[in-house]
Amino acid sequence: LEKVLSFDWLYDWDDPDVTVGYRLLFDFMSLASQNQKHRAIFHDWTAGWVKLLKEALDEGVAAGQFSIDDTESAAKAISAIYQGMATRWNLDPEAHSTEWALSSVRSVITRFLGMSP
């Protein structure tokens, strides 16, 4: 579970990689919506995140911590949760604080996995 929830660094205003990274992500998403080559690169980037999460979920299933039939689909959903929360946190920080993002991600993902937050 801790591996699945280990991406809290995505919500750190003091991390220069986060600040630059979101600007690049949003610009790239815009390009990907209009260009097949950029869309393929975005797919590869997303697939990398899904792979990391799937590996953590597979470990949890093997250890009996999670009861998930399709870890790839679950990893895609968790990746989308992270990305959606991060988008709100980054673009509307007045209404979506760091505290909100961190607690919401943890709560939503643990509930999605059938666990108590």
Side-chain angles (χ1 to χ4, degrees):
L1 180 61
E2 288 309 311
K3 284 185 179 182
V4 175
L5 297 174
S6 68
F7 299 97
D8 57 351
W9 56 268
L10 291 169
Y11 309 99
D12 182 0
W13 287 116
D14 295 326
D15 184 339
D17 290 336
V18 168
T19 307
V20 171
Y22 281 110
R23 281 186 247 146
L24 290 171
L25 173 62
F26 297 141
D27 286 347
F28 199 85
M29 287 172 63
S30 178
L31 292 169
S33 72
Q34 304 169 50
N35 180 287
Q36 185 60 38
K37 288 181 183 178
H38 288 88
R39 192 170 301 129
I41 294 168
F42 183 80
H43 164 81
D44 291 345
W45 174 79
T46 302
W49 281 103
V50 170
K51 181 178 182 280
L52 286 172
L53 288 164
K54 182 184 181 322
E55 288 170 358
L57 293 172
D58 287 339
E59 286 180 28
V61 169
Q65 188 176 16
F66 309 133
S67 178
I68 300 170
D69 294 329
D70 185 350
T71 56
E72 183 168 351
S73 289
K76 288 178 182 178
I78 292 169
S79 175
I81 291 166
Y82 272 116
Q83 186 174 348
M85 298 279 190
T87 299
R88 296 281 179 95
W89 168 81
N90 189 273
L91 295 176
D92 189 14
E94 292 80 22
H96 300 86
S97 68
T98 300
E99 295 77 21
W100 167 84
L102 292 172
S103 67
S104 294
V105 162
R106 180 171 282 276
S107 175
V108 170
I109 291 172
T110 54
R111 287 172 194 226
F112 175 78
L113 293 173
M115 306 171 84
S116 298

